[in-house]
Amino acid sequence: MEPGKEPLYRGLGRCACSFWLAVVFDVLGLLVLLLGVFVNVFFYDLLIYAGAIIIFLSLVWWVFWYSGNIEVPPAELEDDVGLLPKKRGALGALGGAVRRLSSRVSGTVRASFRRNGRAHGSEAQRVTQVNVGMATMTTERVPATETLPT
C-alpha cells in the first residue's frame, strides 16, 4: 500500500472479526434454542434459556462491528480532539479564564475529599485516634437504681 493513502474497505468493513463472531453467536444460539424446543430432553428449559442468552450476547459483537465501521471525516474529527489552532481574542481569553476557574474549583473539591492528613493552605490538620471502650450488655432488665458492673 502506498504511504498517505487510506485502504479501501469493502464488504465487511474494518471489523470483520466482530462480524464473524456475531454471526457465530447468532447461529450457535439459534441451534441451542431450537435444540431445546424440538429435542425431547429433561433439561429443555435450560437449552431454551441458554440459546436466548447466547443470541442476546451476539448483540455485543454487532454493536462492536457497527461502531467500528463508522466513518468520521478528518475535518470533523480535528475539532473534537483539539487539533485545530486555538482562537485568540476575547473568546479565547474567556475560555482560558473559565478553564483556570474550573481547574481551581475541581482541585479544591478533590482536595476536600482526600483523607491523607493535609489541609488547605498552611494549616495542618491533626489526626487523632479515639479509643472507645465497650461494655458487655446483658438482656435482663436492670432497675434504674442499680448500676452496671464495670
Side-chain angles (χ1 to χ4, degrees):
M1 182 170 65
E2 298 174 24
K5 270 192 135 179
E6 291 191 28
L8 181 61
Y9 295 103
R10 296 178 187 243
L12 300 178
R14 292 186 188 97
C15 304
C17 183
S18 295
F19 175 83
W20 289 115
L21 276 171
V23 169
V24 166
F25 270 58
D26 278 336
V27 169
L28 182 68
L30 186 64
L31 287 175
V32 170
L33 185 115
L34 291 177
L35 193 69
V37 170
F38 293 113
V39 175
N40 190 13
V41 291
F42 68 95
F43 54 93
Y44 67 93
D45 53 345
L46 174 73
L47 294 175
I48 292 173
Y49 287 130
I53 290 171
I54 293 170
I55 291 172
F56 177 75
L57 291 176
S58 77
L59 290 175
V60 173
W61 299 112
W62 285 117
V63 168
F64 283 171
W65 176 73
Y66 180 78
S67 61
N69 286 312
I70 294 175
E71 298 278 337
V72 179
E76 289 181 25
L77 187 62
E78 285 175 350
D79 188 36
D80 289 341
V81 295
L83 295 178
L84 293 178
K86 294 182 180 180
K87 297 177 183 175
R88 300 289 180 208
L91 289 179
L94 180 64
V98 169
R99 196 172 303 115
R100 283 191 302 275
L101 177 68
S102 171
S103 65
R104 190 174 293 174
V105 169
S106 65
T108 303
V109 170
R110 194 176 316 123
S112 69
F113 285 117
R114 289 188 186 138
R115 300 286 184 222
N116 59 4
R118 284 186 268 153
H120 301 296
S122 62
E123 298 178 22
Q125 291 179 347
R126 293 187 331 179
V127 178
T128 59
Q129 183 176 0
V130 177
N131 293 325
V132 178
M134 302 190 67
T136 305
M137 303 295 291
T138 59
T139 57
E140 61 188 55
R141 292 191 173 231
V142 178
T145 57
E146 295 182 22
T147 60
L148 290 175
T150 56

